[in-house]
Structures are given as C-alpha cells and as structure tokens.
Amino acid sequence: MLDIPTDLPAELVPLSWLIGVWEGTGVIDYGDHAYTGEFTHRVSFSHDGGDYLNYSADAWLHDPEDPEKRTRLVAELGYWRLALNATDGDAGPGLLPALAPPVSRTADDIERLRNADGGFDLEAALVHADGVSELYLGQIKGPRIDIATDAVVRPAGAKSYAAATRMYGLVDGHLLWAWDIAALGFELGAHASARLARAE
C-alpha cells in the first residue's frame, strides 16, 4: 500500500510515490562489460520540507562464487524537483537570502504546470562518488518518469561518459528502472536495470 505523507509541499505531490527506501537486484550489460551475476541496489527518496526530493543510491556487485563478497559499484546523491522558474521568494544563488516572501503554491497551481503530454517537467541533479555530475531533464507522468541528461560534467581523470537516459516506473508496488548510457566510446545503449521493493 502506498502511503502519501500529508505534510508535503504541493510541488512534491506528483513525485510522492517515490518517497521511501527501495531495495532489490538488477542486471548490468553494456558494450564489452557484461556480468552474469546480479547487483544489489538501494535507493532512497526523502524530503525535508523543501520543494525537492533528496536522493541517494548505492549499488554492489556480488561474486557468484561467494554471495557474501560484494564490490561497491556506484554511490549517488542528488535532488529531484519539478521544473519551476525561480522567483524573488527563492533563496540563492549561493547563500543569498530571498528578496520576497516565499511563494506558497496550491494543488491548483501545480495542476496548471502540466505540460502538453499531461505530465510535469522534471529536473534531477545527481553527483556520483567518482566526481561525475549529471543534470537530467524530462517528465513525470503518473507513475512513470523519463529523463535524459542535459549536461554531464566529469573530472579530467574520470572515465569517458557522455550521456544517459533513465526510466522509472511504479509497477505492482515495485520501483522498476532502466539506465542507458553513452560511455567508453560506445553509443547510447542499455546499461542496467533493476526491480526494487519498498524497504522503508
């Protein structure tokens, strides 16, 4: 059963089905890098009263010979939010305070933000533990999210990574996702997918 918190800002209602901790397993297969074993994935979406969701994700590859042995794959942190124009009621940039009282949006205000497809434009800013940063743009429409990188920034020493798309969906109470990447000289293609159950 899906419990939607009652203290959510109106801006988070379209994203509310993501809130919680999700765990499960998936598969990896990309270019010359194919793995026969599964990986474990843990994803958390939380909120702290702002008009965004906090995001964190960790993944580990398991050794088929020794299920207790695992190798860390990725750690990500970030923020997910509806695409909204900044107002004088928003703080920033940096530590600059807001110039006006905060804008308090209602459910009706959010409904007016629906795009031509009937969904809501979405932004997700993610940082990987290896220093790669991604800005994803896309949309959320009901229990489905489709996003693609608008920008990828990586340190000079990072491996080649040019673009990505991600799809998330709520299916039979599970969070299903697929991640396609363009990296290591290969074109954009299937990379990883997983099925996660709500853990918290």
Side-chain angles (χ1 to χ4, degrees):
M1 181 173 170
L2 183 62
D3 288 328
I4 297 177
T6 57
D7 60 342
L8 286 180
E11 295 90 342
L12 293 185
V13 172
L15 297 161
S16 61
W17 57 269
L18 287 168
I19 296 172
V21 176
W22 303 83
E23 292 180 344
T25 59
V27 293
I28 304 168
D29 188 357
Y30 180 73
D32 295 334
H33 301 270
Y35 300 93
T36 55
E38 292 186 330
F39 71 95
T40 300
H41 198 51
R42 180 180 172 90
V43 175
S44 172
F45 289 94
S46 63
H47 73 99
D48 57 16
D51 62 356
Y52 54 85
L53 290 182
N54 301 301
Y55 167 84
S56 66
D58 294 283
W60 300 270
L61 186 65
H62 291 270
D63 184 337
E65 309 273 325
D66 181 1
E68 297 300 315
K69 184 180 177 183
R70 61 185 194 171
T71 304
R72 184 147 197 165
L73 290 173
V74 68
E76 299 177 314
L77 295 172
Y79 301 95
W80 294 54
R81 63 188 297 248
L82 295 186
L84 301 168
N85 292 327
T87 71
D88 285 344
D90 295 311
L95 296 176
L96 295 176
L99 300 173
V103 175
S104 181
R105 294 180 179 92
T106 67
D108 289 337
D109 294 331
I110 299 305
E111 275 302 307
R112 285 191 282 275
L113 296 175
R114 285 193 184 271
N115 59 31
D117 290 334
F120 297 95
D121 294 335
L122 182 67
E123 303 168 350
L126 308 182
V127 178
H128 301 227
D130 62 5
V132 172
S133 298
E134 302 168 292
L135 172 62
Y136 284 91
L137 303 179
Q139 80 165 351
I140 180 168
K141 185 175 180 182
R144 181 180 171 127
I145 294 171
D146 292 281
I147 52 177
T149 50
D150 182 62
V152 174
V153 179
R154 57 189 175 88
K159 293 180 180 179
S160 169
Y161 181 69
T165 64
R166 299 190 191 201
M167 185 280 299
Y168 296 78
L170 185 64
V171 180
D172 295 330
H174 287 82
L175 181 63
L176 277 58
W177 66 261
W179 184 4
D180 294 358
I181 62 172
L184 307 175
F186 293 99
E187 297 293 321
L188 185 69
H191 159 57
S193 61
R195 180 183 181 95
L196 311 178
R198 190 180 295 275
E200 296 175 25

